[in-house]
Short mmCIF file of all heavy atoms in Angstrom, two decimals:
data_model
loop_
_atom_site.label_atom_id
_atom_site.label_comp_id
_atom_site.label_asym_id
_atom_site.label_seq_id
_atom_site.Cartn_x
_atom_site.Cartn_y
_atom_site.Cartn_z
N ILE A 146 106.39 117.63 77.79
CA ILE A 146 105.25 117.14 78.54
C ILE A 146 104.44 118.33 78.89
O ILE A 146 104.86 119.25 79.55
CB ILE A 146 105.71 116.55 79.90
CG1 ILE A 146 106.82 115.40 79.70
CG2 ILE A 146 104.51 115.98 80.73
CD1 ILE A 146 106.33 114.16 79.03
N ARG A 147 103.16 118.32 78.48
CA ARG A 147 102.22 119.45 78.73
C ARG A 147 101.06 118.96 79.51
O ARG A 147 100.56 117.88 79.26
CB ARG A 147 101.84 120.03 77.37
CG ARG A 147 101.23 121.43 77.48
CD ARG A 147 100.91 121.95 76.13
NE ARG A 147 99.93 121.03 75.48
CZ ARG A 147 99.11 121.45 74.48
NH1 ARG A 147 99.30 122.66 73.93
NH2 ARG A 147 98.25 120.65 73.88
N ILE A 148 100.60 119.78 80.46
CA ILE A 148 99.46 119.35 81.25
C ILE A 148 98.17 119.81 80.66
O ILE A 148 97.94 121.01 80.39
CB ILE A 148 99.64 119.93 82.75
CG1 ILE A 148 101.04 119.61 83.27
CG2 ILE A 148 98.48 119.45 83.60
CD1 ILE A 148 101.39 118.16 83.21
N ILE A 149 97.26 118.89 80.47
CA ILE A 149 95.97 119.28 79.87
C ILE A 149 94.80 119.17 80.88
O ILE A 149 93.70 119.71 80.65
CB ILE A 149 95.66 118.50 78.56
CG1 ILE A 149 95.68 116.95 78.88
CG2 ILE A 149 96.64 118.76 77.49
CD1 ILE A 149 94.99 116.09 77.80
N SER A 150 95.08 118.46 81.99
CA SER A 150 94.03 118.46 83.06
C SER A 150 94.76 118.15 84.40
O SER A 150 95.71 117.35 84.39
CB SER A 150 93.01 117.39 82.73
OG SER A 150 92.01 117.40 83.78
N SER A 151 94.29 118.76 85.44
CA SER A 151 94.93 118.50 86.76
C SER A 151 93.81 118.37 87.81
O SER A 151 92.97 117.50 87.63
CB SER A 151 95.88 119.59 87.10
OG SER A 151 95.25 120.83 86.97
N TYR A 152 93.88 119.20 88.86
CA TYR A 152 92.82 119.11 89.90
C TYR A 152 91.45 119.40 89.31
O TYR A 152 91.32 120.38 88.57
CB TYR A 152 93.15 120.10 91.04
CG TYR A 152 91.92 120.28 92.00
CD1 TYR A 152 91.57 119.30 92.79
CD2 TYR A 152 91.31 121.50 92.00
CE1 TYR A 152 90.50 119.51 93.68
CE2 TYR A 152 90.26 121.71 92.80
CZ TYR A 152 89.80 120.67 93.64
OH TYR A 152 88.73 120.82 94.54
N ARG A 153 90.46 118.60 89.69
CA ARG A 153 89.12 118.88 89.34
C ARG A 153 88.23 118.82 90.56
O ARG A 153 88.32 117.81 91.32
CB ARG A 153 88.54 117.87 88.35
CG ARG A 153 89.15 117.90 86.99
CD ARG A 153 88.44 116.94 86.07
NE ARG A 153 89.34 116.45 85.02
CZ ARG A 153 89.32 115.18 84.53
NH1 ARG A 153 88.49 114.29 85.00
NH2 ARG A 153 90.19 114.84 83.60
N SER A 154 87.41 119.82 90.80
CA SER A 154 86.54 119.79 91.98
C SER A 154 85.44 118.76 91.81
O SER A 154 85.15 118.37 90.64
CB SER A 154 85.94 121.24 92.18
OG SER A 154 85.08 121.50 91.15
N TYR A 155 84.74 118.48 92.88
CA TYR A 155 83.61 117.53 92.78
C TYR A 155 82.58 118.08 91.85
O TYR A 155 82.09 117.36 90.98
CB TYR A 155 83.08 117.41 94.17
CG TYR A 155 81.81 116.43 94.21
CD1 TYR A 155 82.02 115.12 94.63
CD2 TYR A 155 80.54 116.88 93.86
CE1 TYR A 155 80.99 114.21 94.67
CE2 TYR A 155 79.46 115.98 93.96
CZ TYR A 155 79.66 114.65 94.34
OH TYR A 155 78.59 113.79 94.41
N SER A 156 82.27 119.40 91.94
CA SER A 156 81.16 119.99 91.12
C SER A 156 81.55 119.99 89.61
O SER A 156 80.72 119.77 88.80
CB SER A 156 80.82 121.34 91.62
OG SER A 156 81.93 122.19 91.49
N TYR A 157 82.85 120.20 89.37
CA TYR A 157 83.34 120.18 87.97
C TYR A 157 83.18 118.74 87.37
O TYR A 157 82.67 118.52 86.35
CB TYR A 157 84.76 120.64 87.82
CG TYR A 157 85.22 120.69 86.41
CD1 TYR A 157 84.87 121.82 85.60
CD2 TYR A 157 85.99 119.71 85.82
CE1 TYR A 157 85.30 121.87 84.27
CE2 TYR A 157 86.41 119.74 84.54
CZ TYR A 157 86.01 120.83 83.76
OH TYR A 157 86.42 120.87 82.43
N GLN A 158 83.59 117.73 88.22
CA GLN A 158 83.52 116.38 87.73
C GLN A 158 82.04 115.96 87.56
O GLN A 158 81.67 115.25 86.59
CB GLN A 158 84.18 115.41 88.79
CG GLN A 158 84.22 113.95 88.31
CD GLN A 158 85.20 113.80 87.13
OE1 GLN A 158 86.17 114.51 86.93
NE2 GLN A 158 84.98 112.73 86.32
N ASN A 159 81.19 116.41 88.37
CA ASN A 159 79.75 116.23 88.32
C ASN A 159 79.18 116.73 86.97
O ASN A 159 78.48 116.03 86.27
CB ASN A 159 79.05 116.92 89.49
CG ASN A 159 77.64 116.46 89.67
OD1 ASN A 159 77.29 115.32 89.33
ND2 ASN A 159 76.80 117.40 90.21
N LYS A 160 79.60 117.95 86.61
CA LYS A 160 79.17 118.51 85.38
C LYS A 160 79.72 117.71 84.15
O LYS A 160 78.96 117.41 83.28
CB LYS A 160 79.75 119.98 85.32
CG LYS A 160 79.18 120.85 84.25
CD LYS A 160 79.75 122.24 84.33
CE LYS A 160 79.94 122.93 82.96
NZ LYS A 160 81.24 122.89 82.37
N LEU A 161 80.96 117.33 84.27
CA LEU A 161 81.59 116.61 83.13
C LEU A 161 80.91 115.29 82.99
O LEU A 161 80.58 114.87 81.86
CB LEU A 161 83.11 116.39 83.54
CG LEU A 161 84.19 116.29 82.50
CD1 LEU A 161 84.20 117.47 81.59
CD2 LEU A 161 85.49 115.99 83.11
N TYR A 162 80.76 114.58 84.03
CA TYR A 162 80.18 113.19 83.98
C TYR A 162 78.73 113.28 83.42
O TYR A 162 78.35 112.48 82.51
CB TYR A 162 80.23 112.55 85.30
CG TYR A 162 79.56 111.15 85.35
CD1 TYR A 162 80.25 110.12 84.83
CD2 TYR A 162 78.23 110.97 85.85
CE1 TYR A 162 79.62 108.84 84.83
CE2 TYR A 162 77.68 109.74 85.86
CZ TYR A 162 78.35 108.69 85.32
OH TYR A 162 77.78 107.44 85.30
N ASN A 163 77.96 114.19 83.85
CA ASN A 163 76.59 114.36 83.41
C ASN A 163 76.55 114.70 81.93
O ASN A 163 75.62 114.24 81.22
CB ASN A 163 75.82 115.36 84.26
CG ASN A 163 75.46 114.73 85.60
OD1 ASN A 163 75.22 113.56 85.68
ND2 ASN A 163 75.53 115.58 86.67
N GLU A 164 77.50 115.53 81.42
CA GLU A 164 77.55 115.80 79.98
C GLU A 164 77.82 114.54 79.17
O GLU A 164 77.17 114.27 78.15
CB GLU A 164 78.63 116.85 79.72
CG GLU A 164 78.24 118.22 79.98
CD GLU A 164 79.35 119.17 79.99
OE1 GLU A 164 80.53 118.87 79.53
OE2 GLU A 164 79.13 120.39 80.47
N TYR A 165 78.75 113.67 79.72
CA TYR A 165 79.07 112.44 79.06
C TYR A 165 77.88 111.54 78.99
O TYR A 165 77.54 110.82 78.00
CB TYR A 165 80.23 111.72 79.73
CG TYR A 165 81.51 112.43 79.60
CD1 TYR A 165 82.48 112.44 80.67
CD2 TYR A 165 81.94 113.05 78.40
CE1 TYR A 165 83.69 113.05 80.56
CE2 TYR A 165 83.19 113.63 78.30
CZ TYR A 165 84.06 113.65 79.39
OH TYR A 165 85.32 114.28 79.28
N VAL A 166 77.14 111.44 80.17
CA VAL A 166 75.94 110.59 80.22
C VAL A 166 74.89 111.06 79.20
O VAL A 166 74.26 110.26 78.54
CB VAL A 166 75.35 110.57 81.67
CG1 VAL A 166 74.03 109.91 81.71
CG2 VAL A 166 76.29 109.91 82.66
N GLN A 167 74.76 112.38 79.09
CA GLN A 167 73.78 112.97 78.14
C GLN A 167 74.05 112.48 76.75
O GLN A 167 73.17 112.12 75.98
CB GLN A 167 73.87 114.50 78.17
CG GLN A 167 73.30 115.18 79.46
CD GLN A 167 71.81 115.10 79.49
OE1 GLN A 167 71.18 115.41 78.47
NE2 GLN A 167 71.25 114.77 80.61
#
Side-chain angles (χ1 to χ4, degrees):
I146 306 292
R147 198 178 60 161
I148 307 309
I149 56 162
S150 185
S151 53
Y152 167 68
R153 292 183 209 147
S154 68
Y155 182 98
S156 62
Y157 183 80
Q158 186 69 26
N159 193 28
K160 189 175 149 262
L161 208 60
Y162 178 76
N163 284 326
E164 278 168 12
Y165 292 141
V166 171
Q167 289 285 316

